[in-house]
Amino acid sequence: MLIHIRSSLKISALTRHVLHSSNAYFSVSSQPTQLPPDEAAARDVASLLKNPNWENSNTLKSLVSHMNPHIASQVISLQSSETNTCVRFFTWVCKHSSYCFDPNQKTHLLKLIVSSGLYQIAHSVIVALIRECSRCEKNMMKLLTCFDELRDEAGFRLNYPCYSSLLMSLAKLDLGFLAYLTYRRMEADGFVVGMIDYRTIVNALCKNGNTEAAEMFMCKILKVGFVLDSHICTSLVLGFCRGLNLGDALRVFGVMSREEASAPNSVTYSNLIHGLCEVERLDEAFGFKDRMGENGCQPSTRTYTVLIKALCDRGLVDKGFSLFDEMVGKGCKANVHTYTVLIDGLCRDGKIEEANGICRKMVEDGIYPSVVTYNALINGYCKDGRIVPAFEVLTVMEKRACRPNVRTFNELMEGLCRVGKPFKAVHLLKRMIGNGLSPDIVSYNVLIDGLCREGFMNVAYKLLGSMSSFDLEPDCVTFTAIINAFCKQGKADVASAFLVLMLRKGISLDEVTCTALMDGFCKVGKTRDALFILETLCKMRLLTTPHSLNVVLDVLSKSCKVKEELAMLGKINKLGLVPSVVTYTALVDGLIRSGDISGSLKMLEVMKSSGCLPNVYPYTIIINGFCQFGRLEEAEKLLATMQDSGVSPNHVTYTVMVKGYVDYGKLDRALETVSVMVESGYELNERVYSSLLHGLVSSQKGIALQGGNDACIMSKLISMVEQLGGGSTRGLYDFVVTRLCKEGRIDESNKLIQTVLKRGVYIDKVIDTIIETYCGRKEHNKCVELITFVVGTGFVPSFKSFCLVIQGLKKEGETEQAHELVMELLSSNGVKEKSRMLDYVKCLMEGDEAGDCVEVVIDMVDQLHCKERPIF
């Protein structure tokens, strides 16, 4: 681009030279005048601005592509007689110049215009800049700083249109206090503030929750001679509702209802209804909706949307759709926000396909999804573990010119971390930065937490160090993820060092963080250190629940330190904390571990007398104790007592009883219990299958699990569970396949699962296990055959399975076969436009090596610095 400018300058200079040469014969004494390059460039651009459609001129675009603010200000000076053209050029050059594009350079250009004395143009430019910054608080703050500098250094003052636009933009950004300060300066500059400005200031203060200041300001309005109207009162209702002060909101609404000049309108009702929904007063909210019609004020789209969202937030999606039907039936047209609320509700309810259908319907109705709509769909797919469809939504966004935002990428990165692929999420972060988006603290917290959960602490620490490159600082959530991960690895001392670092950065202690560290110390036997943290929390009065104390109690119970546990219970009472069911359950567990069953039964009575009724867990722990000591009859009696008390057994209770019966040779009673468990609606689990298998082996007089005997017993186990009507047999096949794989009998498990697939039963976890085992043995061809078989039966293997095989094939040099499997991945997930997805799939197929990921972090920071623009 710079070449084009230089070429243009050369042409201009050459033209002037030729013209001068042609006149040399007529004036021997004339001397050539050569303009400075900047001035010449400015004149060239100014001459092109005389054309009617100069914005579409490719020549002009080439000339200004690297134009700095100094030359741009000269162009504006040359066009100073045409204010409208100057403002248009200012806005246009800021979009097309690589220098003026930056917010700091825009304000620099404004200062140059002011320094040239072009105040009328400067005021018009300021109005345009205020409108441009009205969506970004950060840019607005920079603009306000510029106004202060112009005032202090050049004595430049804003005019009334500038102030009025500024007030409205500050109100839009919820910067109420700054709006009030702007009003004070406006008044000091001698401007008479109108009713619209007063409304704007009251609205800005109320949106910020500064209702006291708004009421004081309203008193000033009344003293000046203005009267209350619906706009001002509606703003007050909004402010009180945002502060969850519904009493005062209803008081203002009552005043409005009595005064004709300030009668409530649709916006007033919608604000009040929204406030009531926020404090769980849905019945009253619907009551006000019904009153709207009675008072001649029909519910608006926003009114219905607020109520639909309240229903969806409480999981009442069906009722939300009923209200939607009522809304449409009354001729109230839904907007993008209404559809987005419904789509988000369906996604949170796990009905992602229905949400997709609603998205298609809104497009058919001529309403195009917003970035928030797409984010809701992506979040729904990611929570369901369906990564490929989530990325397909991203490609649809780009196709429809809906630019993804940081939230979009955060949802996708969290989805990748959810399926155990944090390295791929880091690759996606790099791509996000390449798209011109800067990560926020949520982006980093998602990635660091994902890496920590998988145990990649070095990469997480490297990522932590890169935060400063984006002007970000770690918060309590960041440190909690790291501290928790180190504690789980048994490195409580390292975790405590991060706690110290957290405190040095000025981040306050948090109960969750400290509880994680206490748990870490307890697990490595450093109970004293855990107690020291506990005492610190007590002194700082940070304990709001007995959860931290329960952590210590749990460790003490596992160590059979009953006296210490009882002392801890006394401390809980002394601190004024109410012992929870979890607290008593830990005590019961400690007593059982120490062999004191009678003591545990007494603890149940203590719970009842203190008003903390025992739930299924303390009962189950005692039942387990009876079973371990062979006291099955007493276990059965306690189970009956529990049920008589209104407490139903859960899957753990039944599992404990099954194991107890099997351990003492009562397989028939175990099978009866399994039957009752199934009838109660519980899925059988691995421990039940393991107990039954042990019972079958014992009934075969101790024959070892080898060869044909093993296969026979496995078949008998499957047949037995199917006869019991165990509903879903997914857990059974998972148990059998996992056991076969551990014993190296992978082909048998493959044959078994193919038989199951032919029956129309798909078990993704089992497929993942077989694929992972084959990949570990580098038998990738068998993986491909299994994937092909699964797809042929109408099912779709998981993203994890595809990734394992594709990466394995690439490592083996089978690039073509890997590419074919990528296409199969897209086809099986129903992706229609594969070419658009390939770029993202390439990102998803990046390796899962820690070293590669560290390089990505380094490249990411370098990429950021490469984006910095040069300065003349």
Side-chain angles (χ1 to χ4, degrees):
M1 290 297 183
L2 196 55
I3 293 172
H4 288 299
I5 294 177
R6 288 174 178 169
S7 299
S8 301
L9 292 174
K10 286 179 181 178
I11 291 167
S12 300
L14 182 62
T15 305
R16 286 191 292 273
H17 176 71
V18 171
L19 289 172
H20 170 71
S21 300
S22 63
N23 293 327
Y25 296 102
F26 304 99
S27 179
V28 178
S29 61
S30 61
Q31 297 295 323
T33 30
Q34 187 172 5
L35 296 172
D38 285 1
E39 189 177 338
R43 288 184 179 279
D44 290 340
V45 172
S47 65
L48 290 171
L49 295 181
K50 294 176 183 178
N51 298 328
N53 296 319
W54 56 266
E55 285 105 332
N56 299 322
S57 170
N58 290 327
T59 305
L60 188 57
K61 288 178 183 178
S62 177
L63 284 172
V64 305
S65 62
H66 280 66
M67 178 175 283
N68 64 27
H70 181 70
I71 299 175
S73 69
Q74 290 185 37
V75 174
I76 290 172
S77 295
L78 291 169
Q79 294 291 122
S80 58
S81 59
E82 299 287 338
T83 303
N84 185 41
T85 302
C86 290
V87 176
R88 282 167 57 202
F89 176 72
F90 179 93
T91 306
W92 186 83
V93 77
C94 288
K95 290 179 180 178
H96 291 84
S97 167
S98 60
Y99 291 90
C100 300
F101 181 83
D102 183 81
N104 293 326
Q105 297 300 322
K106 288 180 186 179
T107 53
H108 181 49
L109 176 54
L110 173 62
K111 289 177 180 178
L112 290 171
I113 294 170
V114 171
S115 65
S116 301
L118 306 173
Y119 297 148
Q120 184 179 354
I121 295 170
H123 284 131
S124 299
V125 163
I126 285 170
V127 172
L129 280 174
I130 289 169
R131 287 172 183 167
E132 184 183 322
C133 296
S134 63
R135 293 184 179 179
C136 178
E137 182 178 331
K138 186 177 179 181
N139 289 344
M140 180 60 76
M141 297 305 292
K142 287 182 180 179
L143 192 59
L144 290 173
T145 302
C146 174
F147 294 160
D148 289 338
E149 290 170 354
L150 286 172
R151 189 183 187 90
D152 297 338
E153 296 169 8
F156 179 77
R157 302 283 190 273
L158 302 184
N159 62 6
Y160 180 78
C162 292
Y163 273 122
S164 188
S165 296
L166 185 57
L167 284 173
M168 284 189 281
S169 294
L170 291 172
K172 187 177 180 181
L173 289 167
D174 290 358
L175 299 172
F177 184 67
L178 286 176
Y180 179 72
L181 293 179
T182 300
Y183 151 75
R184 293 291 299 272
R185 177 168 284 184
M186 184 180 181
E187 200 175 44
D189 285 348
F191 292 105
V192 177
V193 183
M195 187 63 185
I196 293 176
D197 301 314
Y198 278 126
R199 287 174 179 171
T200 303
I201 296 162
V202 171
N203 182 252
L205 290 168
C206 288
K207 285 174 78 176
N208 256 158
N210 295 324
T211 47
E212 289 185 12
E215 286 189 294
M216 290 172 65
F217 190 75
M218 190 178 68
C219 293
K220 185 173 183 177
I221 298 172
L222 298 175
K223 285 181 181 178
V224 172
F226 291 105
V227 294
L228 283 177
D229 63 6
S230 296
H231 292 89
I232 291 176
C233 291
T234 298
S235 293
L236 283 171
V237 170
L238 172 67
F240 285 127
C241 287
R242 285 200 171 183
L244 302 181
N245 187 352
L246 270 298
D248 284 336
L250 290 166
R251 174 177 57 82
V252 174
F253 184 84
V255 172
M256 293 177 74
S257 301
R258 291 191 296 271
E259 300 292 334
E260 188 176 346
S262 59
N265 54 30
S266 176
V267 179
T268 318
Y269 275 103
S270 296
N271 288 339
L272 187 58
I273 287 168
H274 183 259
L276 290 166
C277 289
E278 287 293 299
V279 294
E280 307 284 340
R281 291 161 66 175
L282 253 66
D283 291 338
E284 290 179 68
F286 275 94
F288 273 98
K289 191 262 292 184
D290 295 335
R291 280 172 58 184
M292 288 179 75
E294 296 170 7
N295 296 332
C297 182
Q298 295 303 318
S300 65
T301 301
R302 183 170 182 268
T303 314
Y304 277 109
T305 302
V306 164
L307 288 167
I308 291 169
K309 184 178 186 304
L311 291 169
C312 290
D313 285 345
R314 285 151 188 79
L316 304 172
V317 182
D318 291 338
K319 288 188 177 181
F321 273 97
S322 298
L323 191 60
F324 175 80
D325 293 337
E326 178 192 313
M327 169 185 169
V328 175
K330 289 189 175 180
C332 193
K333 192 174 180 181
N335 59 20
V336 65
H337 303 294
T338 317
Y339 279 111
T340 300
V341 164
L342 289 169
I343 288 168
D344 183 53
L346 287 168
C347 288
R348 283 187 289 171
D349 206 27
K351 299 175 180 177
I352 184 67
E353 296 305 332
E354 290 182 44
N356 224 335
I358 296 295
C359 191
R360 286 192 294 271
K361 183 183 183 302
M362 68 185 287
V363 173
E364 289 169 6
D365 292 344
I367 301 171
Y368 287 94
S370 66
V371 66
V372 182
T373 318
Y374 286 119
N375 287 349
L377 276 173
I378 288 171
N379 184 39
Y381 277 121
C382 287
K383 283 186 175 178
D384 200 33
R386 300 168 66 184
I387 301 300
V388 174
F391 274 88
E392 188 183 9
V393 174
L394 179 62
T395 60
V396 171
M397 287 178 72
E398 293 173 341
K399 180 184 176 182
R400 292 178 178 165
C402 181
R403 190 169 183 262
N405 59 15
V406 177
R407 176 77 179 267
T408 313
F409 284 97
N410 287 349
E411 300 285 8
L412 288 165
M413 288 188 292
E414 188 173 7
L416 288 166
C417 291
R418 197 185 292 272
V419 295
K421 300 292 178 183
F423 289 159
K424 298 186 190 306
V426 175
H427 282 280
L428 188 62
L429 177 67
K430 183 185 176 185
R431 186 181 187 85
M432 173 180 123
I433 294 165
N435 286 359
L437 294 169
S438 295
D440 58 12
I441 188 63
V442 178
S443 313
Y444 270 96
N445 285 345
V446 163
L447 289 172
I448 289 172
D449 183 60
L451 289 163
C452 288
R453 286 179 184 275
E454 297 298 317
F456 301 114
M457 303 309 298
N458 289 338
V459 183
Y461 189 70
K462 192 78 178 178
L463 202 63
L464 183 71
S466 72
M467 290 180 73
S468 58
S469 300
F470 298 94
D471 296 325
L472 295 172
E473 286 292 330
D475 61 7
C476 190
V477 177
T478 321
F479 280 106
T480 301
I482 295 171
I483 289 168
N484 188 47
F486 275 122
C487 287
K488 285 183 177 178
Q489 291 181 0
K491 300 177 180 177
D493 291 333
V494 179
S496 63
F498 274 94
L499 182 68
V500 173
L501 178 62
M502 170 180 157
L503 294 172
R504 284 179 181 173
K505 286 184 173 287
I507 302 170
S508 301
L509 276 175
D510 179 77
E511 185 178 355
V512 178
T513 314
C514 291
T515 302
L517 187 56
M518 286 167 58
D519 187 48
F521 277 126
C522 288
K523 282 178 179 176
V524 294
K526 296 185 176 181
T527 315
R528 286 186 180 181
D529 291 327
L531 289 171
F532 174 76
I533 296 171
L534 183 62
E535 288 174 7
T536 305
L537 286 174
C538 293
K539 289 176 183 176
M540 297 178 70
R541 297 185 178 180
L542 291 175
L543 284 180
T544 55
T545 66
H547 181 63
S548 300
L549 294 160
N550 292 341
V551 168
V552 181
L553 275 174
D554 183 58
V555 174
L556 293 172
S557 71
K558 288 174 181 175
S559 304
C560 301
K561 296 180 179 179
V562 179
K563 289 183 180 179
E564 289 85 345
E565 282 189 275
L566 295 173
M568 188 64 67
L569 179 63
K571 183 171 283 191
I572 290 174
N573 292 321
K574 189 177 179 181
L575 290 169
L577 299 171
V578 179
S580 65
V581 174
V582 179
T583 311
Y584 284 111
T585 302
L587 289 165
V588 168
D589 187 46
L591 290 163
I592 290 292
R593 285 175 184 272
S594 62
D596 188 0
I597 294 181
S598 61
S600 65
L601 290 170
K602 288 177 183 176
M603 190 58 68
L604 282 182
E605 297 306 316
V606 171
M607 289 181 73
K608 294 173 184 177
S609 62
S610 63
C612 182
L613 296 177
N615 60 16
V616 66
Y617 295 103
Y619 277 114
T620 300
I621 289 170
I622 300 172
I623 289 169
N624 186 42
F626 278 129
C627 290
Q628 286 177 346
F629 292 112
R631 296 160 65 175
L632 296 178
E633 290 183 6
E634 291 174 85
E636 290 170 346
K637 286 179 181 178
L638 184 60
L639 177 61
T641 303
M642 179 180 85
Q643 291 173 308
D644 291 340
S645 301
V647 180
S648 300
N650 65 5
H651 66 286
V652 181
T653 319
Y654 286 119
T655 302
V656 162
M657 290 299 298
V658 169
K659 187 177 184 304
Y661 285 129
V662 168
D663 287 345
Y664 287 89
K666 296 185 178 182
L667 182 59
D668 292 341
R669 293 287 290 127
L671 290 172
E672 288 174 15
T673 305
V674 169
S675 181
V676 173
M677 181 178 180
V678 170
E679 289 172 5
S680 300
Y682 290 108
E683 288 277 344
L684 304 185
N685 54 56
E686 184 181 344
R687 289 186 64 191
V688 172
Y689 298 132
S690 181
S691 296
L692 291 176
L693 184 61
H694 177 68
L696 286 170
V697 172
S698 300
S699 67
Q700 296 293 319
K701 298 180 181 179
I703 298 174
L705 287 177
Q706 292 178 355
N709 290 326
D710 189 5
C712 179
I713 290 175
M714 286 290 189
S715 298
K716 192 172 182 180
L717 175 65
I718 293 171
S719 175
M720 182 189 296
V721 172
E722 288 178 345
Q723 286 176 10
L724 286 169
S728 173
T729 53
R730 294 172 186 274
L732 171 62
Y733 288 113
D734 184 26
F735 168 75
V736 173
V737 167
T738 303
R739 189 180 183 92
L740 289 171
C741 288
K742 284 180 179 178
E743 293 175 2
R745 297 156 63 184
I746 180 69
D747 290 333
E748 287 181 54
S749 64
N750 189 2
K751 186 178 178 181
L752 173 64
I753 205 63
Q754 288 191 28
T755 304
V756 174
L757 283 166
K758 287 176 183 176
R759 296 182 193 168
V761 179
Y762 177 68
I763 312 163
D764 51 354
K765 190 177 178 182
V766 174
I767 301 292
D768 288 345
T769 302
I770 297 172
I771 293 286
E772 191 174 354
T773 307
Y774 272 135
C775 284
R777 296 165 64 167
K778 296 186 178 179
E779 296 183 55
H780 298 109
N781 288 333
K782 289 186 178 181
C783 292
V784 174
E785 288 173 7
L786 179 57
I787 286 175
T788 306
F789 184 85
V790 172
V791 173
T793 56
F795 297 106
V796 182
S798 71
F799 175 71
K800 178 183 177 182
S801 290
F802 270 108
C803 282
L804 280 171
V805 183
I806 291 167
Q807 288 170 10
L809 288 169
K810 286 174 72 177
K811 285 181 181 178
E812 294 294 316
E814 300 290 342
T815 311
E816 188 175 340
Q817 197 174 4
H819 180 72
E820 289 175 4
L821 202 57
V822 167
M823 300 309 290
E824 184 62 62
L825 167 67
L826 298 177
S827 298
S828 60
N829 278 278
V831 177
K832 295 178 181 178
E833 299 186 28
K834 298 182 180 63
S835 57
R836 287 182 174 271
M837 275 287 290
L838 281 175
D839 201 22
Y840 285 110
V841 169
K842 184 181 177 182
C843 173
L844 292 175
M845 292 303 129
E846 295 288 348
D848 283 341
E849 300 296 329
D852 294 341
C853 202
V854 172
E855 290 300 321
V856 168
V857 176
I858 296 168
D859 291 345
M860 193 170 64
V861 177
D862 290 341
Q863 186 177 342
L864 172 71
H865 293 306
C866 289
K867 285 171 66 181
E868 294 179 358
R869 301 177 183 276
I871 298 174
F872 283 148

